[in-house]
Amino acid sequence: MDFFLDMKTIILSLVVGHLFTVILISAYWRNHKKDAKINAFFFAKCTQALAWLFLALRGGVPDAISISLANSLLFVGAALETIAVLMLLQAFNPITRKIYGILTAWNMIGFHLIILFCNAENIRIAFASLGTALFIFIPTYKLFKESGSSLLMKIIGSLYLLVIVALLGRSVAAVLSGSSMGLFTPGLSQTLSFLSLYLVMILGNTGYVLLLKEQSDRDLVRLASLDDLTGVLNRRTFIYRARKCIELCAKRKAPITLLLFDVDHFKQINDTYGHVAGDYVLRDLTQKIMRQLAPDDLFGRYGGDEFAIILPGQDELKSSRLVERIREAAFEMSNANVTVHYTLSVGMLTVVPDRQTELESLYLSCDKALYQAKRNGRNGIARAVSEA
């Protein structure tokens, strides 16, 4: 049975696949022209489609186009595509920009030196395969090692790793087997090569779209969960997560502490320095407090200058030490030649919750303690007594 595939059919299918991707991205791109990662991926697909079209014309056009220009475009397209993935992972920085500039120049110069001094197709294949594998290495590493990598990221990273292994194997096989590994030499290796290229195209296009969708979903969740001004949890999200936290501590019979606090004389700050200064005070406050909190602690803005913190697993002693560290922090905001010193009043409550413990009752107790702290002269702490 003949398993060999027509070379021009496979190449044209690659061209069509990239063109369809370009068309779909174009429809999306019209409203996202300022998005660098979309732009990079769009131009990567355009470059790759043009490169494969030139390769399909081999024999009918000069080698300078079907070999030199086509492979140069493939290198540029591969670089742009991997850069787009790095941008999506927020890992494209001056260092990676320099690395990919050097890699692209190295691949293009090295490929043309081979054409000039040792123009054998198997050597070109070996070099191009190795160069492409180097392009993919950093995104593959980032997909695995990125903090909070999702299952999708790890699956795509695994597929990228498989592509790297296949490219390295193809590079070695091309050197060892000689001319029989040529892309335009009929045989099983040609069929496997083009099937691999087709799968890589599907992986690159589909994987990128899925990663982009996942990032968009994360951004939407973040925007819906966080307070616009301070970056801490908004009231709705804080209440939802706090209830879950209380349930978990009740199951574990672990203590939990609720803090409720606000900025002393905040209205006076706004009236004296303006609301812009007041906003800077709230941002300064939250940034300094977040540095004191553990990853499992919950920090939310209830409204205005009132904030709440949930400390799961912290008893009275540990929570009191944390509050003292917070109060000892230098609460001073300096901006636009304006320096504002401010203090906090804190109400707090520590309980070992059970199934009947409700956040609302803890909040009311802390709210009473907060007002007691203000009656005591502000810039202090008042601890509520558990009624449980």
Side-chain angles (χ1 to χ4, degrees):
M1 184 179 295
D2 187 5
F3 288 100
F4 301 152
L5 301 177
D6 178 66
M7 175 266 295
K8 289 189 179 293
T9 301
I10 294 294
I11 291 183
L12 288 174
S13 69
L14 291 172
V15 174
V16 170
H18 288 302
L19 286 177
F20 269 112
T21 303
V22 168
I23 292 171
L24 292 174
I25 293 176
S26 297
Y28 180 80
W29 186 58
R30 291 179 60 187
N31 297 323
H32 297 79
K33 290 185 178 180
K34 293 183 179 180
D35 194 329
K37 59 182 176 292
I38 299 296
N39 296 349
F41 194 72
F42 173 82
F43 288 115
K45 295 296 107 178
C46 290
T47 304
Q48 291 167 356
L50 187 60
W52 287 113
L53 179 61
F54 287 153
L55 281 171
L57 297 175
R58 181 175 294 187
V61 296
D63 286 350
I65 294 177
S66 64
I67 296 178
S68 177
L69 181 58
N71 281 279
S72 296
L73 290 174
L74 283 177
F75 285 131
V76 172
L80 287 172
E81 185 170 347
T82 49
I83 286 171
V85 175
L86 289 175
M87 287 180 174
L88 193 60
L89 298 175
Q90 298 181 341
F92 189 62
N93 50 50
I95 296 176
T96 50
R97 182 184 294 110
K98 184 176 181 180
I99 289 173
Y100 275 92
I102 293 172
L103 276 178
T104 305
W106 165 263
N107 284 334
M108 294 177 68
I109 293 171
F111 189 84
H112 286 88
L113 288 175
I114 291 173
I115 293 176
L116 289 174
F117 298 105
C118 184
N119 193 18
E121 187 172 19
N122 66 311
I123 301 300
R124 297 200 306 265
I125 289 173
F127 183 85
S129 298
L130 179 60
T132 306
L134 291 175
F135 278 135
I136 304 173
F137 177 79
I138 296 179
T140 303
Y141 176 82
K142 292 293 183 180
L143 284 166
F144 279 112
K145 294 298 183 180
E146 192 76 11
S147 60
S149 291
S150 65
L151 179 61
L152 174 64
M153 292 171 66
K154 291 179 180 178
I155 290 174
I156 294 177
S158 300
L159 294 174
Y160 278 169
L161 182 60
L162 183 62
V163 170
I164 290 175
V165 172
L167 286 169
L168 293 177
R170 185 167 179 263
S171 180
V172 173
V175 172
L176 296 178
S177 60
S179 60
S180 62
M181 280 292 294
L183 284 176
F184 295 88
T185 302
L188 181 60
S189 63
Q190 182 202 61
T191 301
L192 293 176
S193 294
F194 280 114
L195 285 175
S196 299
L197 290 170
Y198 195 75
L199 292 174
V200 167
M201 179 193 69
I202 295 174
L203 168 63
N205 295 352
T206 306
Y208 187 81
V209 170
L210 289 174
L211 287 173
L212 185 64
K213 176 65 169 59
E214 183 177 61
Q215 187 200 53
S216 298
D217 291 343
R218 285 180 176 178
D219 290 342
L220 288 174
V221 171
R222 180 179 57 81
L223 290 172
S225 301
L226 301 183
D227 175 63
D228 291 338
L229 177 64
T230 61
V232 300
L233 299 174
N234 59 32
R235 178 170 180 159
R236 181 184 65 253
T237 305
F238 178 83
I239 291 174
Y240 173 78
R241 294 190 183 180
R243 286 172 177 165
K244 295 293 183 182
C245 190
I246 291 171
E247 291 176 5
L248 183 60
C249 287
K251 290 180 181 178
R252 297 176 177 176
K253 297 182 179 180
I256 190 169
T257 297
L258 173 64
L259 307 179
L260 196 65
F261 60 92
D262 61 19
V263 179
D264 295 328
H265 303 295
F266 185 68
K267 184 178 183 302
Q268 184 177 336
I269 293 174
N270 280 330
D271 293 342
T272 304
Y273 302 102
H275 288 277
V276 173
D279 289 346
Y280 277 113
V281 165
L282 295 182
R283 283 196 288 265
D284 179 73
L285 164 69
T286 53
Q287 289 171 6
K288 288 175 178 175
I289 291 179
M290 281 192 287
R291 289 196 286 265
Q292 302 286 342
L293 300 179
D296 293 335
D297 298 338
L298 302 179
F299 188 9
R301 184 183 182 189
Y302 254 74
D305 64 320
E306 185 176 79
F307 294 85
I309 296 176
I310 285 281
L311 305 172
Q314 294 206 21
D315 56 21
E316 291 190 4
L317 180 60
K318 290 181 179 179
S319 59
S320 295
R321 288 174 178 172
L322 173 62
V323 175
E324 286 300 331
R325 289 201 304 270
I326 290 175
R327 288 187 62 249
E328 289 172 2
F331 286 112
E332 178 182 287
M333 185 283 300
S334 297
N335 184 269
N337 299 320
V338 173
T339 299
V340 180
H341 300 273
Y342 59 96
T343 58
L344 305 179
S345 294
V346 183
M348 58 192 304
L349 172 66
T350 299
V351 298
V352 177
D354 54 31
R355 293 182 180 180
Q356 283 72 46
T357 303
E358 295 182 351
L359 176 63
E360 289 75 11
S361 62
L362 301 182
Y363 174 85
L364 289 174
S365 296
C366 270
D367 191 50
K368 293 177 182 178
L370 172 58
Y371 278 95
Q372 183 60 49
K374 291 184 178 296
R375 286 193 294 268
N376 292 341
R378 303 179 188 272
N379 190 22
I381 304 167
R383 181 177 284 277
V385 178
S386 173
E387 300 177 359

